[in-house]
Amino acid sequence: MVWPLLALAGVLLPVVDAAAHRLCPTRSPTLPAAEAALILLGVVALLPGAGGSWTSALLSSLILAACYLTLFLISRGFGFGDVKLALALGAVVG
């Protein structure tokens, strides 16, 4: 249920990156993708027989975003769009 959302973001992000040369323009799909991923994972966690935990997805999202934020602060190779993207990736992978 959440994987199609990630696939859609995975298709949209290269298009945005190619057009704007960055992942955090004004209307970037990174934050909405992270919000939707966390909301959908929360809904799925309420279903009977759910295989994952919403709290682990949330913690994974926050930890990965914190690591990317650290890299953003100490490196010029990472932009803030990468930090926002890490929220969604951490949620789905966690």
Side-chain angles (χ1 to χ4, degrees):
M1 181 172 177
V2 180
W3 291 109
L5 169 72
L6 183 64
L8 178 62
V11 170
L12 287 176
L13 288 174
V15 173
V16 169
D17 191 29
H21 299 291
R22 58 186 185 149
L23 291 177
C24 62
T26 307
R27 295 184 180 173
S28 174
T30 52
L31 278 181
E35 293 169 356
L38 287 170
I39 290 169
L40 288 173
L41 287 169
V43 169
V44 169
L46 296 174
L47 298 175
S53 168
W54 185 80
T55 53
S56 68
L58 179 63
L59 287 175
S60 298
S61 177
L62 294 175
I63 289 170
L64 188 61
C67 292
Y68 272 57
L69 180 62
T70 303
L71 289 171
F72 166 72
L73 293 173
I74 65 173
S75 169
R76 291 184 182 206
F78 280 85
F80 199 69
D82 297 319
V83 177
K84 294 188 302 184
L85 179 62
L87 286 169
L89 294 177
V92 175
V93 172

